[in-house]
Amino acid sequence: MSAAECQRGKMAALRAGLLTRALTKGKTPAISNIILGTRAASGPSKDTLPGAYPRSPEEMAAAAKKYNMTLEDYKPYPNDGMGYGDYPMLPERSQQERDPWYQWDHPDLRRNWGEPMHWDFDMYIRNRVDTSPSPVEWRTMRNQLLGFVGFMLLMFGLGEMFPCYQPVAPKQYPYSDLYLERGGDPAKEPEPVKNYEI
Amino acid sequence: MANYKEAPLATRPKTLDPAEYFNLSPDYRRAEEKRAALRAQLKRQYLEQLNNPHRKELIEDPALTRWTYARTNNNYFRPTAKTSLIGGLFGVLPLFVLYVVFKTDRDKREAKIKAGTYERPYKLST
């Protein structure tokens, strides 16, 4: 009941504000004024949306309750101005790692309704980044790959700098160096070209 | 299930983790019970809405709303040393670095063309 009264009161105040502003200034106020003044009550209320970094234990408890997490699990991101606010820091695990046989509410996302979403949820969906275990340790894989690629780059680079191939001579053509084929005058006698030595 | 071996490229499910069954302190159990209670409440809310025969609209997920709001509205960004450094490194520095790189490369090429020593790399006509 009190929420409805509050809403009606806010709407009345908004209408009154707009009316007075329109009457006094002679033109309707800018959109930004309307937006900053009041917000429509049809969307989520301010206490269910993410807020600022929690400072006191009460704020931590309230934030944990808001995000449907237990107080022990709820850990906000460090407050270094990167823009996280009080959003919880969940373990960096992709959705691929979750149990495929459990009856999730959203089976393709492997997520239940109301469960707190990781900040990088759209990265950790099953089509994208996957943190599930690999057959060999990541470090070994990375070292082997970089070692192989680096070695091949090195060898190709060396090959460019110091080319080594069989000794070659310029190509020898018959018929006086292809005199007629190269557009020589058929009436004139070409000079003889000797490509051999006996 | 005692000798369960997980699939080669999968993590072990939590319910089959041996740590769940041995050496459990009361604190751990209480925490797990709280988590399970929260999960059960959420599940119940969802299923009530899902199986409600009079429901006509989409089931709205507040966690999704919060996530979207947090990601799109950067209300809590603050210019600090770290954020300014990152911003400068990724936003301002590339402009200058790329300008310098491209300018020097093009000036060198222009000088070569003027001197007549430039060899066109992909020249098609002989």
Side-chain angles (χ1 to χ4, degrees):
Chain A
M1 305 332 124
S2 62
E5 279 175 1
C6 273
Q7 193 178 331
R8 259 183 272 123
K10 275 201 196 124
M11 288 311 291
L14 172 61
R15 260 183 258 119
L18 282 177
L19 195 59
T20 49
R21 255 178 290 190
L23 288 176
T24 50
K25 272 208 200 150
K27 60 176 164 78
T28 49
I31 293 291
S32 56
N33 289 356
I34 301 177
I35 289 177
L36 290 172
T38 49
R39 206 160 24 96
S42 54
S45 56
K46 198 118 182 270
D47 58 345
T48 57
L49 288 175
Y53 186 80
R55 272 173 243 275
S56 62
E58 294 89 32
E59 285 185 18
M60 289 276 277
K65 191 160 171 2
K66 176 171 70 177
Y67 288 109
N68 294 325
M69 298 173 79
T70 58
L71 190 53
E72 297 91 24
D73 290 341
Y74 174 72
K75 249 179 294 287
Y77 280 96
N79 189 19
D80 55 4
M82 293 289 282
Y84 292 108
D86 66 354
Y87 204 84
M89 182 159 58
L90 298 158
E92 308 268 329
R93 295 258 169 269
S94 78
Q95 300 300 97
Q96 181 69 21
E97 282 198 32
R98 297 199 178 190
D99 191 354
W101 300 108
Y102 172 77
Q103 293 273 26
W104 302 99
D105 295 337
H106 304 293
D108 53 341
L109 299 173
R110 288 189 186 168
R111 182 181 163 264
N112 283 324
W113 185 87
E115 195 188 312
M117 293 169 82
H118 193 281
W119 182 271
D120 290 318
F121 181 79
D122 49 352
M123 181 172 82
Y124 284 129
I125 60 173
R126 286 162 65 205
N127 268 334
R128 297 181 181 173
V129 171
D130 186 11
T131 57
S132 43
S134 45
V136 188
E137 226 183 71
W138 166 252
R139 213 163 292 144
T140 324
M141 287 201 292
R142 180 203 59 189
N143 290 345
Q144 285 184 9
L145 177 70
L146 290 181
F148 175 73
V149 168
F151 175 71
M152 295 308 284
L153 282 175
L154 185 75
M155 293 312 282
F156 273 108
L158 285 177
E160 286 296 321
M161 289 199 295
F162 309 112
C164 61
Y165 42 81
Q166 294 269 350
V168 287
K171 197 157 172 62
Q172 300 169 349
Y173 294 96
Y175 303 116
S176 316
D177 235 2
L178 295 178
Y179 180 75
L180 288 174
E181 282 80 355
R182 289 221 178 119
D185 197 359
K188 271 209 300 209
E189 262 307 316
E191 60 272 12
V193 173
K194 215 146 95 147
N195 286 331
Y196 52 87
E197 239 178 51
I198 300 176
Chain B
M1 279 283 158
N3 43 4
Y4 171 83
K5 226 167 96 65
E6 60 262 17
L9 294 180
T11 39
R12 199 177 186 102
K14 190 156 185 275
T15 44
L16 292 175
D17 190 2
E20 287 270 317
Y21 297 100
F22 306 120
N23 307 328
L24 288 184
S25 62
D27 289 329
Y28 183 81
R29 279 183 214 247
R30 243 174 272 132
E32 273 305 312
E33 270 169 30
K34 272 194 257 179
R35 280 183 216 128
L38 274 175
R39 272 201 297 268
Q41 283 167 14
L42 289 173
K43 198 74 161 178
R44 192 203 172 95
Q45 279 179 31
Y46 178 66
L47 288 177
E48 270 178 9
Q49 285 178 293
L50 186 68
N51 298 328
N52 182 5
H54 301 297
R55 174 178 64 89
K56 285 195 288 282
E57 65 272 348
L58 197 51
I59 303 179
E60 184 200 317
D61 188 353
L64 184 63
T65 320
R66 277 191 287 271
W67 180 77
T68 321
Y69 178 87
R71 285 287 296 260
T72 51
N73 299 30
N74 296 314
N75 292 345
Y76 302 106
F77 174 81
R78 230 179 36 239
T80 64
K82 177 177 169 190
T83 57
S84 312
L85 191 68
I86 292 178
L89 213 59
F90 285 97
V92 176
L93 197 65
L95 294 172
F96 293 101
V97 165
L98 287 174
Y99 169 77
V100 166
V101 166
F102 285 135
K103 191 87 170 64
T104 45
D105 182 47
R106 286 196 185 191
D107 286 345
K108 273 204 213 129
R109 201 178 322 157
E110 188 63 35
K112 264 203 188 156
I113 292 176
K114 287 218 170 91
T117 56
Y118 182 64
E119 71 167 52
R120 309 235 156 228
Y122 305 112
K123 205 157 112 156
L124 293 173
S125 59
T126 44

